Amino acid sequence: MTPDAVDTAGAAPPEPGPVVAIPVYAGVSELELGVMMTVCRLCGGEGAALTVNRSRASIVTAGGLVSTPHVLYAALPEPAGLLLPGGPGAARASRDPLLRAFLAAHAALPTGAVGSGTLLCGEAGTLTGRVVGGPAGLGDTLWGFGVAGVQAGQVVTDGGLMTTPSGLPALQAALHVAARVWGEAAAAQAADQIGYRPA
């Protein structure tokens, strides 16, 4: 046995890094989810993002792909950030009491909500007094959550919260959260690897 082998055999396992939680549900957008997972993996490695649901049962995404959540809410390590993908199932998912309680309890975390994923924040009561963006078609609905302003169809950052329209703006939301969890340099490197050049 080499001296190096002795040293590593007695070493404690490395501490896990910060985790970003991504609540998922039937009808979630696999495009937005995929973008979020990719950015987190580039910044924090495998296990940096965990999909979470009340059940480990497989779900069907908006495009028909089958996905199994990584963990239950009860088994999720304390997250350092939240990413909320949208999709046609978001309105229904937003009424889940467990999801609402989870988001309300973590309202202070850096959060990126994309498209109809903004409804998840709204139903959890975490949009009150904030200026939000999101899809143009949800403008009237978002006013019902006690927001301070709605810039429908725009990407809007209000403190630690970024809200964006659906689709590819998920990249901006993911980089927003990544910069706060892993640092600006890691987020910039991830953007460079993806080939994203902010305007």
Side-chain angles (χ1 to χ4, degrees):
M1 185 183 301
T2 66
D4 288 343
V6 172
D7 289 342
T8 56
E15 285 291 316
V19 168
V20 171
I22 307 179
V24 292
Y25 48 86
V28 70
S29 164
E30 64 269 25
L31 169 65
E32 295 167 10
L33 177 59
V35 166
M36 293 169 174
M37 294 292 294
T38 298
V39 168
C40 291
R41 283 185 182 140
L42 287 173
C43 291
E46 285 299 318
L50 295 176
T51 56
V52 59
N53 194 290
R54 63 167 46 248
S55 165
R56 290 283 328 275
S58 294
I59 60 169
V60 180
T61 67
L65 298 177
V66 176
S67 176
T68 302
H70 291 120
V71 294
L72 305 173
Y73 286 105
L76 178 71
E78 186 59 29
L82 301 174
L83 286 168
L84 307 175
R92 181 175 180 185
S94 71
R95 297 189 291 273
D96 179 354
L98 187 58
L99 174 55
R100 291 192 337 221
F102 171 76
L103 294 179
H106 295 90
L109 292 180
T111 300
V114 179
S116 55
T118 309
L119 297 174
L120 306 180
C121 294
E123 291 291 347
T126 63
L127 296 183
T128 304
R130 294 186 171 240
V131 178
V132 297
L138 285 181
D140 291 342
T141 303
L142 294 173
W143 278 112
F145 295 126
V147 298
V150 175
Q151 297 176 20
Q154 301 296 313
V155 174
V156 175
T157 303
D158 184 332
L161 173 68
M162 177 181 279
T163 48
T164 78
S166 306
L168 289 178
L171 180 55
Q172 291 171 264
L175 290 169
H176 163 82
V177 171
R180 283 155 179 76
V181 173
W182 292 287
E184 296 281 354
Q189 185 174 12
D192 189 58
Q193 287 178 270
I194 293 168
Y196 174 68
R197 302 286 184 273

